[in-house]
C-alpha cells in the first residue's frame, strides 16, 4: 500500500484501539472523525509533494474527561506505523 494508505489505515486503527467510535471516515479527503464520551477526535492525513504524509490529531469537547486520549491515539498510531 502507498504511504498515504498506510497512514490513513493506521489512524483509523489507532482511534479504534483507544475506544473512539468513528462517526465519519473519508479516505479521499484524509479526514476521520469520531467520539469517545464527550470528546470529539478529528484526524487528518495529507500527502506532501515529496511523497511523505502529514498526520494530525485534534480533540475538542470535554477533554478533561480523558486528558491523555490524544497521547494514547498518537502512541497507537506510531505503533501501527512501526515506530
Amino acid at each position: 500500500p502507498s504511504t498515504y494508505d498506510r497512514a490513513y489505515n493506521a489512524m483509523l486503527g489507532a482511534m479504534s484501539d483507544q475506544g473512539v467510535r468513528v462517526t465519519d471516515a473519508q479516505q479521499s479527503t484524509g479526514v476521520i472523525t469520531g467520539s469517545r464520551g464527550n470528546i470529539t477526535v478529528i484526524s487528518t492525513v495529507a500527502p506532501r509533494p515529496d511523497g511523505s504524509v502529514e498526520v494530525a490529531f485534534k480533540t475538542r469537547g470535554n477533554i478533561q474527561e480523558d486528558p491523555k486520549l490524544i497521547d494514547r491515539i498518537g502512541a497507537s498510531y506510531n505503533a501501527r506505523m512501526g515506530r
Side-chain angles (χ1 to χ4, degrees), residues 9-19 57 73 76-77 80:
N9 289 328
M11 281 195 318
L12 199 55
M15 289 174 71
S16 178
D17 291 346
Q18 298 307 319
F57 298 97
I73 292 170
S76 289
Y77 171 80
R80 286 175 168 271

Side-chain angles (χ1 to χ4, degrees), residues 2-74:
S2 70
T3 302
Y4 178 90
D5 289 340
R6 283 187 62 233
Y8 182 86
N9 289 328
M11 281 195 318
L12 199 55
M15 289 174 71
S16 178
D17 291 346
Q18 298 307 319
V20 176
R21 183 178 55 86
V22 173
T23 55
D24 189 42
Q26 301 292 324
Q27 189 163 0
S28 62
T29 62
V31 178
I32 302 169
T33 306
S35 63
R36 184 166 191 264
N38 293 311
I39 302 172
T40 298
V41 179
I42 302 165
S43 301
T44 57
V45 60
R48 292 182 174 164
D50 66 0
S52 65
V53 293
E54 181 175 340
V55 174
F57 298 97
K58 295 186 289 189
T59 53
R60 66 177 182 215
N62 186 8
I63 297 161
Q64 293 308 312
E65 199 173 278
D66 189 349
K68 298 287 186 183
L69 177 61
I70 193 102
D71 297 330
R72 293 195 316 273
I73 292 170

